[in-house]
Amino acid sequence: MRVVLGLLDANAGEALVLGEDLSRSKEMRRKVGVLFERHGLYERLTVRNNLDHYARLFSIPDRQRKVGEVLEEVGLEERGDDMVHTLSTGLKRRAGLARALLGEPEVLFLDEPTSSLDPQAQKDFRTIIQDLSAKRRMTVFLNTHNLDEVQRICSRVAILDRGSVKLSGTMEEIRSPKSIEVEVVLASEDGAREAVSRLLTDSRVMGAERKGSTVDMSLRSPLWVKELVAWGLDIKEYKIRNLSLDEVYFEVLGQGVTA
């Protein structure tokens, strides 16, 4: 992300934001907001004084109004006069976000924004980001190892490995499996055994595995419930399972999940 922001030189290629190289355009850098893992605030100043200080550095007009506005957007309007060092990690992260919003950015870069936060603080931060993106019509660039978080809030995803993009696209596109993963629950284990025997003779079935009365199968093309019923199988449940982003990640990188 530091290469994209123009803070580090790229070994090869180029990284453009809004069509420009940020390392060469001071004007374009004004259109970008950034929140790294460290909030970038002075611990012995109040939240409001911190924001006023940065607003002055950024030459933002009507500083008092703008500071009040961003405090409200991140839910800190009642904590603006608190010293930063008295805030929880989650509230400090929100205060850092308020600083990143001062310049009305068109693109907001977030680096591991919910790391070290408790589940409630993570949920609150995600909600704020989603609301901000919708309200401001702002692009949010999220850099994270938290794939569950990506799956919850991102519309487009890129998976990188050693500096190379291995896969990118909309969430729906990258979660589209190469095979159709189906779980079928039958009325009995005997029925499940019979199902596996029948399934493995069908050219559409890449694999089938029985676990008790449940059969997991991978299909090249759809195999419908009515076909299974026509075979005389007593089916209690049939569901198509979508791949999780974790599964896509490990499939793309060719790695197994390890403890």
Side-chain angles (χ1 to χ4, degrees):
M1 193 168 89
R2 293 176 186 272
V3 172
V4 175
L5 292 170
L7 301 177
L8 291 176
D9 292 331
N11 293 327
E14 60 181 357
L16 305 180
V17 178
L18 300 173
E20 298 284 346
D21 183 341
L22 295 185
S23 67
R24 301 174 183 172
S25 175
K26 182 177 180 180
E27 184 60 34
M28 289 304 299
R29 286 199 294 272
R30 292 181 177 274
K31 298 182 179 182
V32 170
V34 183
L35 175 62
F36 291 113
E37 280 191 76
R38 293 185 61 82
H39 50 70
L41 301 174
Y42 296 98
E43 294 276 351
R44 294 292 172 177
L45 291 179
T46 67
V47 176
R48 193 180 305 278
N49 285 343
N50 264 285
L51 296 178
D52 185 71
H53 167 70
Y54 281 107
R56 185 182 294 110
L57 287 179
F58 300 155
S59 301
I60 292 173
D62 198 359
R63 297 197 314 271
Q64 188 174 8
R65 179 195 61 79
K66 189 59 185 175
V67 167
E69 182 180 294
V70 295
L71 282 172
E72 183 176 353
E73 285 184 306
V74 301
L76 290 180
E77 60 268 34
E78 301 298 326
R79 306 297 299 270
D81 295 320
D82 291 1
M83 302 285 279
V84 170
H85 74 87
T86 68
L87 302 179
S88 66
T89 301
L91 294 185
K92 287 180 181 179
R93 201 69 56 83
R94 287 202 226 173
L97 176 60
R99 178 189 58 77
L101 294 171
L102 281 170
E104 295 283 348
E106 293 182 33
V107 182
L108 177 65
F109 286 85
L110 304 176
D111 186 24
E112 301 286 359
T114 60
S115 66
S116 304
L117 302 188
D118 63 60
Q120 184 61 53
Q122 289 183 24
K123 181 176 182 293
D124 292 343
F125 198 93
R126 284 195 297 266
T127 299
I128 290 170
I129 292 303
Q130 289 173 302
D131 290 346
L132 279 170
S133 179
K135 174 186 173 184
R136 291 190 174 212
R137 303 184 66 82
M138 172 180 62
T139 298
V140 178
F141 184 104
L142 176 66
N143 178 48
T144 182
H145 292 87
N146 187 338
L147 299 184
D148 177 64
E149 184 165 84
V150 172
Q151 194 164 298
R152 287 171 184 265
I153 67 174
C154 294
S155 57
R156 295 190 64 85
V157 179
I159 296 176
L160 280 73
D161 182 42
R162 297 179 179 87
S164 297
V165 177
K166 299 299 184 182
L167 182 68
S168 66
T170 66
M171 186 65 70
E172 292 75 17
E173 288 169 346
I174 70 168
R175 290 179 65 194
S176 296
K178 296 176 182 176
S179 61
I180 303 169
E181 304 297 319
V182 175
E183 180 181 281
V184 180
V185 180
L186 293 107
S188 66
E189 290 192 24
D190 288 341
R193 274 191 286 270
E194 180 185 352
V196 171
S197 298
R198 295 291 299 270
L199 288 166
L200 292 177
T201 64
D202 193 294
S203 62
R204 291 168 292 180
V205 179
M206 298 169 64
E209 181 181 0
R210 182 182 68 84
K211 299 174 184 176
S213 61
T214 299
V215 176
D216 292 323
M217 54 183 172
S218 297
L219 306 176
R220 291 186 177 87
S221 58
L223 181 61
W224 306 113
V225 176
K226 63 181 181 181
E227 296 179 77
L228 299 177
V229 172
W231 290 355
L233 299 176
D234 187 1
I235 297 173
K236 295 179 65 177
E237 188 175 351
Y238 179 101
K239 57 184 178 182
I240 297 175
R241 185 175 66 84
N242 291 322
L243 293 181
S244 69
L245 193 55
D246 291 70
E247 290 172 308
V248 173
Y249 176 86
F250 287 113
E251 181 179 297
V252 168
L253 298 187
Q255 300 173 2
V257 181
T258 57

